[in-house]
Amino acid sequence: MSARGGGVVAFSSGNHAQGVAAAAQILNMRATIVMPADAPLSKRERTKAYGAEVVLYDSRPRGSEAIARGIAAKRGATLVPPYDDPMVIAGQGTVGQGNCRRHDGAWHHP
């Protein structure tokens, strides 16, 4: 199975969730996003709108990463953590570079 064949799994209730879901949709991959059950409905719905399966969990025990790792292992999917991963950090840096280029390296603060 190729790396894409197993899909991706992420744990997030914010922008990372939607970014992973959108990228998976573009690449025609399965995406599963683990979110706390108390995440705002708008974030859950936007993530689902990208075609992702949203798995809700009780946020009090704070077990999202363990849940996501278990799903990824069971499905042969790639885990895409929201932080603490060299590829995610590189991607975030690339976005920052693009923003700087678009603004000629100058940031204007109101």
Side-chain angles (χ1 to χ4, degrees):
M1 177 182 299
S2 74
R4 289 186 183 181
V8 292
V9 178
F11 52 99
S12 171
S13 61
N15 294 338
H16 182 70
Q18 292 172 46
V20 170
Q25 183 181 57
I26 290 167
L27 296 170
N28 198 29
M29 295 172 61
R30 178 181 186 174
T32 303
I33 309 297
V34 177
M35 285 187 161
D38 59 356
L41 179 61
S42 61
K43 291 186 178 191
R44 295 191 318 251
E45 293 303 318
R46 281 191 294 246
T47 302
K48 288 179 183 178
Y50 287 114
E53 172 189 6
V54 174
V55 175
L56 300 175
Y57 73 99
D58 180 357
S59 62
R60 285 178 290 238
R62 306 299 298 171
S64 62
E65 184 172 357
I67 294 167
R69 286 190 184 284
I71 292 169
K74 181 179 178 182
R75 296 182 180 173
T78 300
L79 183 69
V80 183
Y83 53 84
D84 205 20
D85 178 87
M87 297 303 286
V88 170
I89 293 167
Q92 293 167 346
T94 301
V95 169
Q97 284 181 330
N99 285 334
C100 285
R101 284 190 200 105
R102 200 169 18 257
H103 296 285
D104 295 326
W107 289 95
H108 302 284
H109 300 282

